[in-house]
Amino acid sequence: MLKALSYFFRKQGTPLLIPSAIGLTCFVGVIVTQVPQLNEIRQESRSPSLEQIQRQEASTRLQLDLLKRFPSLGFNNLIANWVFLDFIQYFGNVEVRQKTDYRISPEFFDVILALDPYFRDGYFFLSSSASLFAGMPERTVEIIERELPRLSPTTPEKAAYILRYKGTDELLFLADSASAKESFELAAEWASVYDDDEGASIALVSRRMADFLEGNPDSRYAQISAWVMVYYNAFDGETKQLAVQRIRNLGGQASIQEDGRLDFQLPPRD
């Protein structure tokens, strides 16, 4: 790999690429030093012990910490994509996660979104994994707030969704109705820029949520509406089950239709 990188940069024929070549070589070196340890852990057992898992997680934390400190030298998207794939592998290993937890989840997105703040789906995965599974909604909101100044209503496309993720976390997991109201208000403002039906819908439901919270910060109707959004955006069955249970606990109803689709009935607005 290093030979191939060296050949590529020699072919460019310009000394301006030398610092980048050196930096990328160092970055690859960081990755390469982790590979033998990770392979050793993976090969020790197909059902690793808690000690082996802890060693692997310590290695993952170290790797992410190094990426936070190391300059990307223009390879932001490449590194962000690589870290996201690593997160998918981490999150999808259910057997291991059941033995430990999901608490490294937000650290992946601390790196990913710092490198690529326009990765809209990254905010969705951050909210789902860190707030729901890791139980760290404050970390989710912290990362989103850090990146918001770099965003605009149309950068990335339909960026209003990011504000809705933030508002949902603030409402459901932080019990911060005032901040949630502000997030939904800004989501409505951003969505009003979009000249299509989807934008009009985002603006309408966001404005309604803000109005509910303004009239009643403890509105069960607003909380149920947020859990319905969580349900329809969930990418796993466990989150869907949690959302249905919370909806029922708050007084909402969930019934299965003839086509197998789950339909929700909300209580009267409070």
Side-chain angles (χ1 to χ4, degrees):
M1 180 184 291
L2 295 180
K3 287 183 178 179
L5 289 170
S6 176
Y7 172 77
F8 170 78
F9 285 112
R10 284 203 307 270
K11 291 291 286 183
Q12 306 309 307
T14 171
L16 292 177
L17 289 175
I18 292 176
S20 294
I22 295 172
L24 183 58
T25 300
C26 293
F27 167 69
V28 172
V30 169
I31 299 174
V32 169
T33 58
Q34 300 297 315
V35 170
Q37 183 179 359
L38 291 174
N39 286 339
E40 179 184 350
I41 293 171
R42 289 167 181 162
Q43 292 172 4
E44 282 178 346
S45 174
R46 299 191 68 177
S47 182
S49 67
L50 182 58
E51 180 182 359
Q52 292 166 351
I53 293 170
Q54 289 172 339
R55 287 170 53 198
Q56 183 172 355
E57 290 193 346
S59 176
T60 299
R61 284 186 180 276
L62 174 60
Q63 190 175 71
L64 292 171
D65 187 57
L66 289 172
L67 289 172
K68 291 176 188 178
R69 300 169 183 270
F70 201 86
S72 62
L73 301 172
F75 297 97
N76 294 37
N77 288 347
L78 176 66
I79 300 172
N81 290 341
W82 174 74
V83 176
F84 181 68
L85 291 175
D86 209 26
F87 162 76
I88 294 298
Q89 186 176 42
Y90 164 86
F91 188 85
N93 196 335
V94 178
E95 179 185 355
V96 170
R97 300 283 71 77
Q98 288 176 340
K99 292 182 179 180
T100 54
D101 52 43
Y102 292 83
R103 293 186 68 82
I104 303 180
S105 294
E107 305 315 310
F108 284 98
F109 292 97
D110 193 14
V111 174
I112 293 167
L113 295 174
L115 293 169
D116 184 7
Y118 311 122
F119 177 30
R120 194 187 76 190
D121 288 344
Y123 296 92
F124 167 69
F125 282 101
L126 165 65
S127 179
S128 298
S129 64
S131 298
L132 277 170
F133 286 87
M136 302 172 70
E138 71 289 341
R139 191 77 174 99
T140 297
V141 171
E142 176 188 350
I143 293 172
I144 294 177
E145 287 183 339
R146 182 191 70 195
E147 301 304 331
L148 273 179
R150 305 167 69 183
L151 310 181
S152 74
T154 56
T155 308
E157 184 180 5
K158 298 294 194 317
Y161 279 113
I162 298 170
L163 290 162
R164 287 181 56 77
Y165 303 149
K166 178 175 176 286
T168 299
D169 282 356
E170 290 165 335
L171 175 63
L172 298 182
F173 307 117
L174 294 177
D176 187 352
S177 298
S179 294
K181 173 180 170 293
E182 292 179 1
S183 295
F184 285 116
E185 284 177 338
L186 188 56
E189 181 182 325
W190 282 21
S192 65
V193 173
Y194 315 143
D195 188 21
D196 58 17
D197 291 340
E198 183 181 3
S201 176
I202 299 170
L204 178 62
V205 297
S206 298
R207 192 170 293 110
R208 283 178 177 173
M209 286 291 285
D211 290 343
F212 294 153
L213 294 173
E214 182 175 17
N216 181 1
D218 300 319
S219 170
R220 287 189 305 154
Y221 189 90
Q223 293 177 54
I224 292 173
S225 298
W227 277 115
V228 170
M229 186 178 76
V230 170
Y231 175 87
Y232 283 118
N233 283 287
F235 55 83
D236 65 285
E238 186 176 349
T239 301
K240 287 181 179 292
Q241 291 176 5
L242 174 63
V244 170
Q245 186 59 52
R246 294 294 176 86
I247 289 168
R248 286 173 171 161
N249 290 346
L250 287 164
Q253 300 294 324
S255 57
I256 300 177
Q257 303 301 299
E258 293 182 357
D259 59 2
R261 180 177 56 86
L262 198 63
D263 187 50
F264 297 101
Q265 297 83 44
L266 278 63
R269 299 180 184 180
D270 47 10

